[in-house]
Amino acid sequence: LFARFMSGRERLASDVRLKVIGLDAQGDDDARLPKASTCFFWVALPPYSSRDVLAERLRYAIQHCTEIDADFRAADADVLVTPPRLRRVRE
């Protein structure tokens, strides 16, 4: 799930390097969630007060992030039940 959170994919190529960067402090950092850039394979973490807070916030973000899915799974409504008829085009 961590790889999917950082990359939008369930599996990564062997040459991908994941990066962790720190965010600047902004008030109540323990309430902030990590941010991921799926295009660049990095996760940005606020300066949490403890490892326990980091683990809790990271787990929450991973479990509740459902917006990104680069492995594309077609929903039933997106799949054509009957394929369109193809016609031969003459030049």
Side-chain angles (χ1 to χ4, degrees):
L1 292 174
F2 182 71
R4 184 168 181 233
F5 177 70
M6 288 187 67
S7 68
R9 298 181 177 274
E10 291 183 11
R11 292 187 225 165
L12 297 175
S14 61
D15 62 340
V16 171
R17 296 196 185 267
L18 303 177
K19 299 174 194 95
V20 177
I21 60 172
L23 293 174
D24 293 332
Q26 292 182 354
D28 186 12
D29 290 314
D30 285 350
R32 296 169 63 194
L33 291 172
K35 296 179 182 181
S37 172
T38 57
C39 295
F40 299 105
F41 307 109
W42 59 255
V43 64
L45 302 172
Y48 293 117
S49 61
S50 70
R51 286 184 180 200
D52 290 337
V53 173
L54 164 66
E56 178 186 330
R57 303 312 283 162
L58 191 55
R59 275 194 301 270
Y60 182 88
I62 289 170
Q63 291 171 353
H64 291 89
C65 178
T66 58
E67 296 297 316
I68 301 297
D69 187 359
D71 287 329
F72 183 75
R73 293 186 187 104
D76 291 340
D78 296 334
V79 177
L80 293 173
V81 176
T82 307
R85 292 183 155 224
L86 301 175
R87 293 184 292 155
R88 182 171 290 191
V89 178
R90 295 183 186 174
E91 293 181 13

